[in-house]
Amino acid sequence: LNGVQLDQVIKVNGPIKAAMQDWLTWMRPNLVDAWENYQYMRYLMWPAYEKAGLPEALLFGMLAKESGGKVHAVSNAGAAGPFQFMYHTGLRFGLGSKQGFDTRYDPAESARANVEYLEERFSELNHNLEFALAAYNGGEGRMRRIVKGSRSKSFWSAEVMAQLPRETQEYVPYVLAA
């Protein structure tokens, strides 16, 4: 985030307000569970973010949306662990099988890999937090193409949003709201 505080980066808009409303009403049990789960893993996960100068709120927001802080979460697509890394993406960032254990499930290792992934996306996507989060959810290749081919430099523009799957359109505000 280039030393900019998270509250200066996030501009609260309609989608983020709607996501906040969801987190605080019908999704509140999920948010509370994610917070409780995170408390058990914080000492393992936070050091990677702290070392990189990334805010803990971003760590929690991603964790809440990705897995709810459940270490053994697995998606229908095969993404696994607290940060829901796909197998091959995990390999690119040093996650894999170590002595028969899939390190995507290791909170410290997955947090380290998550930081590396975000830093790589920040450097290629003009240090834009929303674009980096959209790449994490919707694919880095897709986001590179969208950013390169778009006249708008805002994730929230209709031009950018129209090119994203609904899941990614919703993912970014939910992470930022959490």
Side-chain angles (χ1 to χ4, degrees):
L1 301 179
N2 284 339
V4 179
Q5 295 297 315
L6 190 60
D7 64 342
Q8 298 299 311
V9 173
I10 299 173
K11 305 297 184 224
V12 178
N13 58 19
I16 293 175
K17 285 179 184 176
M20 283 181 184
Q21 182 69 23
D22 287 350
W23 279 124
L24 295 174
T25 55
W26 68 274
M27 290 177 67
R28 186 178 181 87
N30 304 63
L31 190 64
V32 171
D33 286 348
W35 179 253
E36 289 173 354
N37 292 336
Y38 174 58
Q39 295 311 302
Y40 290 107
M41 300 181 290
R42 182 182 187 271
Y43 78 100
L44 296 167
M45 302 179 100
W46 168 233
Y49 265 67
E50 186 175 36
K51 182 178 178 185
L54 292 173
E56 188 170 18
L58 178 60
L59 161 61
F60 177 71
M62 291 189 75
L63 187 70
K65 186 61 181 148
E66 287 294 335
S67 67
K70 295 178 181 88
V71 175
H72 296 296
V74 179
S75 76
N76 292 337
F83 283 107
Q84 294 290 282
F85 274 96
M86 293 297 288
Y87 181 76
H88 290 289
T89 305
L91 287 177
R92 280 185 32 225
F93 293 95
L95 301 176
S97 183
K98 289 185 183 164
Q99 299 174 341
F101 177 72
D102 185 341
T103 57
R104 292 180 298 167
Y105 297 107
D106 180 310
E109 285 297 305
S110 65
R112 177 204 48 77
N114 175 264
V115 165
E116 288 181 22
Y117 184 96
L118 288 174
E119 288 179 334
E120 194 173 280
R121 298 294 72 74
F122 289 148
S123 68
E124 74 178 10
L125 297 170
N126 304 317
H127 298 278
N128 183 298
L129 177 60
E130 290 92 354
F131 287 158
L133 291 173
Y136 195 87
N137 178 264
E140 58 202 66
R142 172 185 285 141
M143 283 314 300
R144 276 193 300 269
R145 285 188 303 277
I146 290 171
V147 169
K148 185 178 179 182
S150 175
R151 292 182 309 274
S152 177
K153 299 303 176 206
S154 171
F155 169 82
W156 307 106
S157 74
E159 177 187 11
V160 170
M161 286 292 230
Q163 299 177 68
L164 294 171
R166 182 150 181 83
E167 177 186 339
T168 303
Q169 292 174 22
E170 294 174 356
Y171 175 84
V172 173
Y174 274 110
V175 168
L176 297 176

